Amino acid sequence: KNEVEQSPQNLTAQEGEFITINCSYSVGISALHWLQQHPGGGIVSLFMLSSGKKKHGRLIATINIQEKHSSLHITASHPRDSAVYICAVRWTTDSWGKLQFGAGTQVVVTP
Amino acid sequence: DVKVTQSSRYLVKRTGEKVFLECVQDMDHENMFWYRQDPGLGLRLIYFSYDVKMKEKGDIPEGYSVSREKKERFSLILESASTNQTSMYLCASRGQTIYGYTFGSGTRLTVV
């Protein structure tokens, strides 16, 4: 069964610290997404990657296709970054645009 | 901005009731999805639709059905709600935006 694994499950950081969340997947993908979910439930798309690196503000996402691995970095973390971060992939075998999700990483940034 | 609107944020229903969860998108997207999210299990696909009146089962379709009579609206139906369907339900649509997918705010359903 194709799998998406995230680590760590939980992460606590002090304000200003650099945070890294990892995502590994088992077979070929056509795209990888990083999503953010705040308490209350709504999900926001942060990045869609198929290669290389993307940056948006203090967030950086990288992907290594050969190693089947992606990382999400948060620089100069802030309490408002506290959320669940979710990795999701679209397998190359999928025709419909379905996503498979990791279990999520709960990030808490303390002042 | 693309919007995906779910009609209810919180819903409480009784066991055995028929429940409708509504999702509307405003960007003419063809593909729409219903997921449920449970602690420790992440998001799992219930059903998806790739066009009006077209639907496909996802990974956990049992106990659910869907309806897509108009392109912008995708409804999830719990034919006879059960307590194990208590969950967060998220709708998403997929189109040609830079992120690919837009999610709704979610509906937290409690079946008592």
mmCIF file of all heavy atoms in Angstrom, chain A residues 19-71:
data_model
loop_
_atom_site.group_PDB
_atom_site.id
_atom_site.type_symbol
_atom_site.label_atom_id
_atom_site.label_comp_id
_atom_site.label_asym_id
_atom_site.label_seq_id
_atom_site.Cartn_x
_atom_site.Cartn_y
_atom_site.Cartn_z
ATOM 1 N N ILE A 19 12.227 25.684 12.484
ATOM 2 C CA ILE A 19 11.456 24.438 12.586
ATOM 3 C C ILE A 19 11.543 23.670 11.277
ATOM 4 O O ILE A 19 11.468 24.268 10.194
ATOM 5 C CB ILE A 19 9.971 24.768 12.883
ATOM 6 C CG1 ILE A 19 9.815 25.310 14.309
ATOM 7 C CG2 ILE A 19 9.083 23.548 12.676
ATOM 8 C CD1 ILE A 19 8.426 25.841 14.603
ATOM 9 N N THR A 20 11.702 22.365 11.374
ATOM 10 C CA THR A 20 11.690 21.498 10.192
ATOM 11 C C THR A 20 10.712 20.353 10.397
ATOM 12 O O THR A 20 10.736 19.692 11.437
ATOM 13 C CB THR A 20 13.083 20.919 9.910
ATOM 14 O OG1 THR A 20 13.970 21.991 9.576
ATOM 15 C CG2 THR A 20 13.031 19.939 8.736
ATOM 16 N N ILE A 21 9.869 20.136 9.400
ATOM 17 C CA ILE A 21 8.944 19.003 9.379
ATOM 18 C C ILE A 21 9.280 18.172 8.152
ATOM 19 O O ILE A 21 9.539 18.723 7.073
ATOM 20 C CB ILE A 21 7.486 19.495 9.285
ATOM 21 C CG1 ILE A 21 7.165 20.423 10.461
ATOM 22 C CG2 ILE A 21 6.522 18.314 9.258
ATOM 23 C CD1 ILE A 21 5.883 21.207 10.272
ATOM 24 N N ASN A 22 9.273 16.859 8.319
ATOM 25 C CA ASN A 22 9.676 15.970 7.240
ATOM 26 C C ASN A 22 8.528 15.118 6.722
ATOM 27 O O ASN A 22 7.609 14.771 7.478
ATOM 28 C CB ASN A 22 10.792 15.045 7.728
ATOM 29 C CG ASN A 22 12.034 15.815 8.086
ATOM 30 O OD1 ASN A 22 12.624 16.489 7.245
ATOM 31 N ND2 ASN A 22 12.419 15.762 9.344
ATOM 32 N N CYS A 23 8.620 14.778 5.446
ATOM 33 C CA CYS A 23 7.596 13.949 4.804
ATOM 34 C C CYS A 23 8.296 12.979 3.860
ATOM 35 O O CYS A 23 9.085 13.412 3.005
ATOM 36 C CB CYS A 23 6.622 14.843 4.034
ATOM 37 S SG CYS A 23 5.354 13.948 3.113
ATOM 38 N N SER A 24 8.000 11.696 4.014
ATOM 39 C CA SER A 24 8.539 10.681 3.111
ATOM 40 C C SER A 24 7.388 9.924 2.483
ATOM 41 O O SER A 24 6.339 9.720 3.108
ATOM 42 C CB SER A 24 9.410 9.687 3.893
ATOM 43 O OG SER A 24 10.505 10.340 4.460
ATOM 44 N N TYR A 25 7.601 9.486 1.261
ATOM 45 C CA TYR A 25 6.545 8.755 0.566
ATOM 46 C C TYR A 25 7.152 7.565 -0.155
ATOM 47 O O TYR A 25 8.366 7.501 -0.368
ATOM 48 C CB TYR A 25 5.796 9.690 -0.400
ATOM 49 C CG TYR A 25 6.689 10.473 -1.317
ATOM 50 C CD1 TYR A 25 7.056 9.989 -2.569
ATOM 51 C CD2 TYR A 25 7.188 11.721 -0.924
ATOM 52 C CE1 TYR A 25 7.879 10.712 -3.403
ATOM 53 C CE2 TYR A 25 8.021 12.451 -1.756
ATOM 54 C CZ TYR A 25 8.362 11.948 -2.998
ATOM 55 O OH TYR A 25 9.191 12.662 -3.811
ATOM 56 N N SER A 26 6.287 6.629 -0.534
ATOM 57 C CA SER A 26 6.808 5.295 -0.881
ATOM 58 C C SER A 26 7.066 5.095 -2.371
ATOM 59 O O SER A 26 7.965 4.338 -2.738
ATOM 60 C CB SER A 26 5.842 4.220 -0.387
ATOM 61 O OG SER A 26 4.535 4.488 -0.866
ATOM 62 N N VAL A 27 6.291 5.733 -3.245
ATOM 63 C CA VAL A 27 6.481 5.516 -4.679
ATOM 64 C C VAL A 27 6.390 6.869 -5.399
ATOM 65 O O VAL A 27 6.271 7.915 -4.772
ATOM 66 C CB VAL A 27 5.459 4.513 -5.256
ATOM 67 C CG1 VAL A 27 5.651 3.137 -4.654
ATOM 68 C CG2 VAL A 27 4.042 4.998 -5.066
ATOM 69 N N GLY A 28 6.420 6.810 -6.735
ATOM 70 C CA GLY A 28 6.485 8.043 -7.510
ATOM 71 C C GLY A 28 5.256 8.922 -7.381
ATOM 72 O O GLY A 28 4.135 8.447 -7.264
ATOM 73 N N ILE A 29 5.517 10.226 -7.369
ATOM 74 C CA ILE A 29 4.438 11.192 -7.249
ATOM 75 C C ILE A 29 4.485 12.189 -8.397
ATOM 76 O O ILE A 29 5.521 12.398 -9.012
ATOM 77 C CB ILE A 29 4.496 11.968 -5.905
ATOM 78 C CG1 ILE A 29 5.791 12.774 -5.810
ATOM 79 C CG2 ILE A 29 4.338 11.010 -4.730
ATOM 80 C CD1 ILE A 29 5.816 13.758 -4.641
ATOM 81 N N SER A 30 3.339 12.804 -8.671
ATOM 82 C CA SER A 30 3.316 13.889 -9.646
ATOM 83 C C SER A 30 3.342 15.243 -8.952
ATOM 84 O O SER A 30 3.720 16.236 -9.566
ATOM 85 C CB SER A 30 2.102 13.777 -10.563
ATOM 86 O OG SER A 30 0.915 13.737 -9.802
ATOM 87 N N ALA A 31 2.933 15.276 -7.678
ATOM 88 C CA ALA A 31 3.002 16.530 -6.926
ATOM 89 C C ALA A 31 2.913 16.242 -5.440
ATOM 90 O O ALA A 31 2.325 15.240 -5.025
ATOM 91 C CB ALA A 31 1.869 17.483 -7.328
ATOM 92 N N LEU A 32 3.511 17.134 -4.661
ATOM 93 C CA LEU A 32 3.426 17.049 -3.202
ATOM 94 C C LEU A 32 2.923 18.392 -2.681
ATOM 95 O O LEU A 32 3.335 19.451 -3.163
ATOM 96 C CB LEU A 32 4.798 16.729 -2.611
ATOM 97 C CG LEU A 32 4.879 16.565 -1.087
ATOM 98 C CD1 LEU A 32 5.843 15.461 -0.716
ATOM 99 C CD2 LEU A 32 5.229 17.845 -0.387
ATOM 100 N N HIS A 33 2.029 18.312 -1.719
ATOM 101 C CA HIS A 33 1.427 19.525 -1.155
ATOM 102 C C HIS A 33 1.772 19.630 0.320
ATOM 103 O O HIS A 33 1.801 18.629 1.031
ATOM 104 C CB HIS A 33 -0.096 19.466 -1.287
ATOM 105 C CG HIS A 33 -0.584 19.409 -2.689
ATOM 106 N ND1 HIS A 33 -1.152 20.495 -3.317
ATOM 107 C CD2 HIS A 33 -0.580 18.404 -3.601
ATOM 108 C CE1 HIS A 33 -1.492 20.156 -4.553
ATOM 109 N NE2 HIS A 33 -1.154 18.894 -4.753
ATOM 110 N N TRP A 34 2.005 20.846 0.754
ATOM 111 C CA TRP A 34 2.052 21.152 2.178
ATOM 112 C C TRP A 34 0.846 22.010 2.519
ATOM 113 O O TRP A 34 0.564 23.015 1.857
ATOM 114 C CB TRP A 34 3.338 21.884 2.542
ATOM 115 C CG TRP A 34 4.523 20.980 2.654
ATOM 116 C CD1 TRP A 34 5.535 20.831 1.751
ATOM 117 C CD2 TRP A 34 4.819 20.089 3.733
ATOM 118 N NE1 TRP A 34 6.439 19.895 2.199
ATOM 119 C CE2 TRP A 34 6.025 19.432 3.417
ATOM 120 C CE3 TRP A 34 4.194 19.776 4.949
ATOM 121 C CZ2 TRP A 34 6.610 18.488 4.262
ATOM 122 C CZ3 TRP A 34 4.767 18.844 5.790
ATOM 123 C CH2 TRP A 34 5.965 18.217 5.452
ATOM 124 N N LEU A 35 0.151 21.592 3.580
ATOM 125 C CA LEU A 35 -1.090 22.229 3.996
ATOM 126 C C LEU A 35 -0.976 22.642 5.455
ATOM 127 O O LEU A 35 -0.223 22.047 6.220
ATOM 128 C CB LEU A 35 -2.260 21.249 3.832
ATOM 129 C CG LEU A 35 -2.362 20.525 2.484
ATOM 130 C CD1 LEU A 35 -3.337 19.366 2.590
ATOM 131 C CD2 LEU A 35 -2.795 21.489 1.404
ATOM 132 N N GLN A 36 -1.754 23.650 5.833
ATOM 133 C CA GLN A 36 -1.769 24.127 7.218
ATOM 134 C C GLN A 36 -3.203 24.098 7.719
ATOM 135 O O GLN A 36 -4.123 24.537 7.008
ATOM 136 C CB GLN A 36 -1.225 25.552 7.271
ATOM 137 C CG GLN A 36 -1.182 26.167 8.657
ATOM 138 C CD GLN A 36 -0.890 27.664 8.579
ATOM 139 O OE1 GLN A 36 -1.612 28.420 7.924
ATOM 140 N NE2 GLN A 36 0.166 28.106 9.240
ATOM 141 N N GLN A 37 -3.381 23.587 8.927
ATOM 142 C CA GLN A 37 -4.715 23.521 9.514
ATOM 143 C C GLN A 37 -4.672 24.117 10.916
ATOM 144 O O GLN A 37 -4.015 23.602 11.806
ATOM 145 C CB GLN A 37 -5.221 22.083 9.578
ATOM 146 C CG GLN A 37 -6.661 21.952 10.046
ATOM 147 C CD GLN A 37 -7.148 20.523 9.991
ATOM 148 O OE1 GLN A 37 -6.391 19.581 10.177
ATOM 149 N NE2 GLN A 37 -8.439 20.344 9.720
ATOM 150 N N HIS A 38 -5.421 25.213 11.097
ATOM 151 C CA HIS A 38 -5.516 25.847 12.406
ATOM 152 C C HIS A 38 -6.655 25.216 13.196
ATOM 153 O O HIS A 38 -7.552 24.600 12.606
ATOM 154 C CB HIS A 38 -5.737 27.347 12.248
ATOM 155 C CG HIS A 38 -4.482 28.100 11.961
ATOM 156 N ND1 HIS A 38 -3.526 28.349 12.934
ATOM 157 C CD2 HIS A 38 -3.998 28.648 10.827
ATOM 158 C CE1 HIS A 38 -2.525 29.024 12.412
ATOM 159 N NE2 HIS A 38 -2.777 29.218 11.132
ATOM 160 N N PRO A 39 -6.632 25.385 14.517
ATOM 161 C CA PRO A 39 -7.767 24.914 15.323
ATOM 162 C C PRO A 39 -9.070 25.482 14.756
ATOM 163 O O PRO A 39 -9.113 26.639 14.365
ATOM 164 C CB PRO A 39 -7.473 25.496 16.710
ATOM 165 C CG PRO A 39 -6.004 25.712 16.728
ATOM 166 C CD PRO A 39 -5.602 26.032 15.325
ATOM 167 N N GLY A 40 -10.109 24.675 14.713
ATOM 168 C CA GLY A 40 -11.326 25.123 14.045
ATOM 169 C C GLY A 40 -11.500 24.457 12.703
ATOM 170 O O GLY A 40 -12.611 24.378 12.190
ATOM 171 N N GLY A 41 -10.411 23.944 12.118
ATOM 172 C CA GLY A 41 -10.539 22.964 11.056
ATOM 173 C C GLY A 41 -10.165 23.345 9.647
ATOM 174 O O GLY A 41 -9.711 22.494 8.913
ATOM 175 N N GLY A 42 -10.335 24.601 9.220
ATOM 176 C CA GLY A 42 -10.113 24.897 7.808
ATOM 177 C C GLY A 42 -8.682 24.634 7.379
ATOM 178 O O GLY A 42 -7.736 24.865 8.124
ATOM 179 N N ILE A 43 -8.506 24.120 6.176
ATOM 180 C CA ILE A 43 -7.169 23.795 5.655
ATOM 181 C C ILE A 43 -6.792 24.823 4.602
ATOM 182 O O ILE A 43 -7.595 25.154 3.721
ATOM 183 C CB ILE A 43 -7.158 22.374 5.060
ATOM 184 C CG1 ILE A 43 -7.260 21.347 6.187
ATOM 185 C CG2 ILE A 43 -5.904 22.142 4.229
ATOM 186 C CD1 ILE A 43 -7.303 19.910 5.715
ATOM 187 N N VAL A 44 -5.550 25.274 4.692
ATOM 188 C CA VAL A 44 -5.017 26.241 3.742
ATOM 189 C C VAL A 44 -3.850 25.600 3.006
ATOM 190 O O VAL A 44 -2.983 24.983 3.633
ATOM 191 C CB VAL A 44 -4.542 27.512 4.480
ATOM 192 C CG1 VAL A 44 -3.846 28.465 3.526
ATOM 193 C CG2 VAL A 44 -5.716 28.198 5.153
ATOM 194 N N SER A 45 -3.820 25.738 1.701
ATOM 195 C CA SER A 45 -2.689 25.226 0.930
ATOM 196 C C SER A 45 -1.512 26.180 1.065
ATOM 197 O O SER A 45 -1.658 27.385 0.856
ATOM 198 C CB SER A 45 -3.085 25.103 -0.542
ATOM 199 O OG SER A 45 -4.033 24.091 -0.712
ATOM 200 N N LEU A 46 -0.342 25.633 1.401
ATOM 201 C CA LEU A 46 0.867 26.437 1.518
ATOM 202 C C LEU A 46 1.722 26.343 0.256
ATOM 203 O O LEU A 46 2.197 27.351 -0.260
ATOM 204 C CB LEU A 46 1.694 25.990 2.725
ATOM 205 C CG LEU A 46 1.032 26.104 4.095
ATOM 206 C CD1 LEU A 46 1.938 25.505 5.169
ATOM 207 C CD2 LEU A 46 0.711 27.550 4.419
ATOM 208 N N PHE A 47 1.973 25.119 -0.175
ATOM 209 C CA PHE A 47 2.823 24.893 -1.336
ATOM 210 C C PHE A 47 2.339 23.688 -2.127
ATOM 211 O O PHE A 47 1.801 22.746 -1.561
ATOM 212 C CB PHE A 47 4.279 24.587 -0.913
ATOM 213 C CG PHE A 47 4.992 25.686 -0.199
ATOM 214 C CD1 PHE A 47 5.135 25.641 1.182
ATOM 215 C CD2 PHE A 47 5.518 26.760 -0.900
ATOM 216 C CE1 PHE A 47 5.798 26.666 1.855
ATOM 217 C CE2 PHE A 47 6.180 27.780 -0.239
ATOM 218 C CZ PHE A 47 6.322 27.734 1.140
ATOM 219 N N MET A 48 2.602 23.736 -3.427
ATOM 220 C CA MET A 48 2.504 22.557 -4.283
ATOM 221 C C MET A 48 3.848 22.437 -4.995
ATOM 222 O O MET A 48 4.309 23.400 -5.614
ATOM 223 C CB MET A 48 1.386 22.701 -5.307
ATOM 224 C CG MET A 48 1.251 21.500 -6.218
ATOM 225 S SD MET A 48 -0.220 21.542 -7.267
ATOM 226 C CE MET A 48 0.115 22.920 -8.364
ATOM 227 N N LEU A 49 4.491 21.271 -4.861
ATOM 228 C CA LEU A 49 5.840 21.071 -5.379
ATOM 229 C C LEU A 49 5.886 19.845 -6.265
ATOM 230 O O LEU A 49 5.275 18.832 -5.950
ATOM 231 C CB LEU A 49 6.821 20.778 -4.228
ATOM 232 C CG LEU A 49 7.131 21.811 -3.190
ATOM 233 C CD1 LEU A 49 7.728 21.137 -1.961
ATOM 234 C CD2 LEU A 49 8.119 22.802 -3.741
ATOM 235 N N SER A 50 6.669 19.929 -7.334
ATOM 236 C CA SER A 50 7.008 18.703 -8.047
ATOM 237 C C SER A 50 8.523 18.540 -8.141
ATOM 238 O O SER A 50 9.015 17.457 -8.476
ATOM 239 C CB SER A 50 6.379 18.696 -9.435
ATOM 240 O OG SER A 50 6.728 19.872 -10.131
ATOM 241 N N SER A 51 9.255 19.607 -7.856
ATOM 242 C CA SER A 51 10.716 19.517 -7.830
ATOM 243 C C SER A 51 11.258 20.749 -7.119
ATOM 244 O O SER A 51 10.554 21.769 -7.003
ATOM 245 C CB SER A 51 11.299 19.455 -9.246
ATOM 246 O OG SER A 51 11.008 20.646 -9.935
ATOM 247 N N GLY A 52 12.511 20.643 -6.637
ATOM 248 C CA GLY A 52 13.233 21.810 -6.161
ATOM 249 C C GLY A 52 12.754 22.386 -4.849
ATOM 250 O O GLY A 52 12.577 21.686 -3.861
ATOM 251 N N LYS A 53 12.555 23.695 -4.861
ATOM 252 C CA LYS A 53 12.363 24.434 -3.628
ATOM 253 C C LYS A 53 11.410 25.599 -3.893
ATOM 254 O O LYS A 53 11.455 26.204 -4.969
ATOM 255 C CB LYS A 53 13.731 24.960 -3.189
ATOM 256 C CG LYS A 53 13.779 25.821 -1.963
ATOM 257 C CD LYS A 53 15.266 26.178 -1.709
ATOM 258 C CE LYS A 53 15.440 27.169 -0.597
ATOM 259 N NZ LYS A 53 16.865 27.456 -0.330
ATOM 260 N N LYS A 54 10.558 25.890 -2.903
ATOM 261 C CA LYS A 54 9.714 27.083 -3.004
ATOM 262 C C LYS A 54 9.757 27.830 -1.682
ATOM 263 O O LYS A 54 9.904 27.224 -0.622
ATOM 264 C CB LYS A 54 8.268 26.700 -3.346
ATOM 265 C CG LYS A 54 8.085 26.237 -4.782
ATOM 266 C CD LYS A 54 6.619 26.111 -5.149
ATOM 267 C CE LYS A 54 6.491 25.741 -6.615
ATOM 268 N NZ LYS A 54 5.089 25.578 -7.021
ATOM 269 N N LYS A 55 9.590 29.144 -1.761
ATOM 270 C CA LYS A 55 9.655 29.981 -0.563
ATOM 271 C C LYS A 55 8.487 30.953 -0.584
ATOM 272 O O LYS A 55 8.157 31.532 -1.621
ATOM 273 C CB LYS A 55 10.986 30.743 -0.556
ATOM 274 C CG LYS A 55 11.241 31.576 0.690
ATOM 275 C CD LYS A 55 12.647 32.173 0.627
ATOM 276 C CE LYS A 55 13.057 32.805 1.946
ATOM 277 N NZ LYS A 55 12.364 34.049 2.252
ATOM 278 N N HIS A 56 7.894 31.115 0.592
ATOM 279 C CA HIS A 56 6.829 32.107 0.725
ATOM 280 C C HIS A 56 6.937 32.702 2.112
ATOM 281 O O HIS A 56 6.624 32.054 3.109
ATOM 282 C CB HIS A 56 5.449 31.468 0.516
ATOM 283 C CG HIS A 56 4.343 32.465 0.499
ATOM 284 N ND1 HIS A 56 3.363 32.488 1.457
ATOM 285 C CD2 HIS A 56 4.078 33.489 -0.332
ATOM 286 C CE1 HIS A 56 2.536 33.492 1.208
ATOM 287 N NE2 HIS A 56 2.949 34.117 0.127
ATOM 288 N N GLY A 57 7.423 33.926 2.171
ATOM 289 C CA GLY A 57 7.622 34.553 3.473
ATOM 290 C C GLY A 57 8.638 33.782 4.285
ATOM 291 O O GLY A 57 9.773 33.561 3.845
ATOM 292 N N ARG A 58 8.245 33.355 5.486
ATOM 293 C CA ARG A 58 9.156 32.607 6.361
ATOM 294 C C ARG A 58 9.071 31.094 6.145
ATOM 295 O O ARG A 58 9.710 30.330 6.856
ATOM 296 C CB ARG A 58 8.823 32.934 7.818
ATOM 297 C CG ARG A 58 9.090 34.387 8.193
ATOM 298 C CD ARG A 58 8.731 34.692 9.640
ATOM 299 N NE ARG A 58 7.302 34.555 9.872
ATOM 300 C CZ ARG A 58 6.732 33.518 10.489
ATOM 301 N NH1 ARG A 58 7.465 32.520 10.933
ATOM 302 N NH2 ARG A 58 5.423 33.476 10.662
ATOM 303 N N LEU A 59 8.304 30.669 5.183
ATOM 304 C CA LEU A 59 8.137 29.245 4.918
ATOM 305 C C LEU A 59 8.937 28.834 3.689
ATOM 306 O O LEU A 59 8.928 29.546 2.678
ATOM 307 C CB LEU A 59 6.661 28.916 4.682
ATOM 308 C CG LEU A 59 5.686 29.229 5.813
ATOM 309 C CD1 LEU A 59 4.269 28.907 5.378
ATOM 310 C CD2 LEU A 59 6.029 28.462 7.067
ATOM 311 N N ILE A 60 9.616 27.692 3.817
ATOM 312 C CA ILE A 60 10.387 27.141 2.704
ATOM 313 C C ILE A 60 10.030 25.672 2.579
ATOM 314 O O ILE A 60 10.019 24.949 3.584
ATOM 315 C CB ILE A 60 11.905 27.260 2.947
ATOM 316 C CG1 ILE A 60 12.300 28.718 3.182
ATOM 317 C CG2 ILE A 60 12.692 26.688 1.770
ATOM 318 C CD1 ILE A 60 13.698 28.885 3.750
ATOM 319 N N ALA A 61 9.751 25.226 1.363
ATOM 320 C CA ALA A 61 9.479 23.809 1.125
ATOM 321 C C ALA A 61 10.467 23.291 0.103
ATOM 322 O O ALA A 61 10.737 23.952 -0.903
ATOM 323 C CB ALA A 61 8.055 23.616 0.634
ATOM 324 N N THR A 62 11.014 22.111 0.382
ATOM 325 C CA THR A 62 11.961 21.484 -0.535
ATOM 326 C C THR A 62 11.500 20.057 -0.824
ATOM 327 O O THR A 62 10.785 19.447 -0.017
ATOM 328 C CB THR A 62 13.378 21.433 0.062
ATOM 329 O OG1 THR A 62 13.356 20.609 1.236
ATOM 330 C CG2 THR A 62 13.865 22.821 0.431
ATOM 331 N N ILE A 63 11.908 19.553 -1.961
ATOM 332 C CA ILE A 63 11.595 18.168 -2.293
ATOM 333 C C ILE A 63 12.782 17.538 -3.001
ATOM 334 O O ILE A 63 13.426 18.187 -3.832
ATOM 335 C CB ILE A 63 10.302 18.067 -3.137
ATOM 336 C CG1 ILE A 63 9.869 16.609 -3.300
ATOM 337 C CG2 ILE A 63 10.460 18.746 -4.493
ATOM 338 C CD1 ILE A 63 8.459 16.451 -3.826
ATOM 339 N N ASN A 64 13.068 16.278 -2.640
ATOM 340 C CA ASN A 64 14.102 15.486 -3.305
ATOM 341 C C ASN A 64 13.399 14.282 -3.919
ATOM 342 O O ASN A 64 13.033 13.342 -3.211
ATOM 343 C CB ASN A 64 15.179 15.060 -2.300
ATOM 344 C CG ASN A 64 16.321 14.317 -2.965
ATOM 345 O OD1 ASN A 64 16.109 13.495 -3.861
ATOM 346 N ND2 ASN A 64 17.538 14.605 -2.539
ATOM 347 N N ILE A 65 13.197 14.334 -5.213
ATOM 348 C CA ILE A 65 12.415 13.300 -5.892
ATOM 349 C C ILE A 65 13.112 11.933 -5.799
ATOM 350 O O ILE A 65 12.460 10.911 -5.589
ATOM 351 C CB ILE A 65 12.170 13.692 -7.354
ATOM 352 C CG1 ILE A 65 11.331 14.971 -7.435
ATOM 353 C CG2 ILE A 65 11.525 12.559 -8.140
ATOM 354 C CD1 ILE A 65 9.916 14.812 -6.949
ATOM 355 N N GLN A 66 14.426 11.928 -5.953
ATOM 356 C CA GLN A 66 15.165 10.658 -5.928
ATOM 357 C C GLN A 66 15.035 9.973 -4.577
ATOM 358 O O GLN A 66 14.883 8.753 -4.487
ATOM 359 C CB GLN A 66 16.651 10.876 -6.251
ATOM 360 C CG GLN A 66 16.944 11.150 -7.722
ATOM 361 C CD GLN A 66 16.523 12.534 -8.130
ATOM 362 O OE1 GLN A 66 16.546 13.474 -7.345
ATOM 363 N NE2 GLN A 66 16.138 12.684 -9.395
ATOM 364 N N GLU A 67 15.093 10.781 -3.505
ATOM 365 C CA GLU A 67 15.021 10.203 -2.159
ATOM 366 C C GLU A 67 13.586 10.100 -1.658
ATOM 367 O O GLU A 67 13.363 9.622 -0.546
ATOM 368 C CB GLU A 67 15.872 11.039 -1.205
ATOM 369 C CG GLU A 67 17.328 11.065 -1.611
ATOM 370 C CD GLU A 67 18.254 11.401 -0.471
ATOM 371 O OE1 GLU A 67 17.764 11.760 0.624
ATOM 372 O OE2 GLU A 67 19.476 11.325 -0.686
ATOM 373 N N LYS A 68 12.610 10.584 -2.431
ATOM 374 C CA LYS A 68 11.196 10.527 -2.047
ATOM 375 C C LYS A 68 10.994 11.191 -0.679
ATOM 376 O O LYS A 68 10.401 10.603 0.252
ATOM 377 C CB LYS A 68 10.673 9.088 -2.052
ATOM 378 C CG LYS A 68 10.740 8.424 -3.422
ATOM 379 C CD LYS A 68 10.105 7.053 -3.398
ATOM 380 C CE LYS A 68 10.108 6.411 -4.765
ATOM 381 N NZ LYS A 68 11.443 6.247 -5.353
ATOM 382 N N HIS A 69 11.428 12.409 -0.597
ATOM 383 C CA HIS A 69 11.428 13.109 0.686
ATOM 384 C C HIS A 69 11.219 14.599 0.465
ATOM 385 O O HIS A 69 11.751 15.181 -0.481
ATOM 386 C CB HIS A 69 12.768 12.868 1.393
ATOM 387 C CG HIS A 69 12.861 13.532 2.720
ATOM 388 N ND1 HIS A 69 13.364 14.807 2.895
ATOM 389 C CD2 HIS A 69 12.493 13.105 3.955
ATOM 390 C CE1 HIS A 69 13.308 15.129 4.174
ATOM 391 N NE2 HIS A 69 12.788 14.121 4.834
ATOM 392 N N SER A 70 10.420 15.185 1.354
ATOM 393 C CA SER A 70 10.205 16.629 1.325
ATOM 394 C C SER A 70 10.321 17.175 2.737
ATOM 395 O O SER A 70 10.059 16.464 3.717
ATOM 396 C CB SER A 70 8.818 16.939 0.766
ATOM 397 O OG SER A 70 8.537 18.327 0.818
ATOM 398 N N SER A 71 10.727 18.428 2.839
ATOM 399 C CA SER A 71 10.774 19.110 4.134
ATOM 400 C C SER A 71 10.068 20.450 4.042
ATOM 401 O O SER A 71 10.107 21.110 2.997
ATOM 402 C CB SER A 71 12.221 19.351 4.576
ATOM 403 O OG SER A 71 12.876 18.144 4.847
#
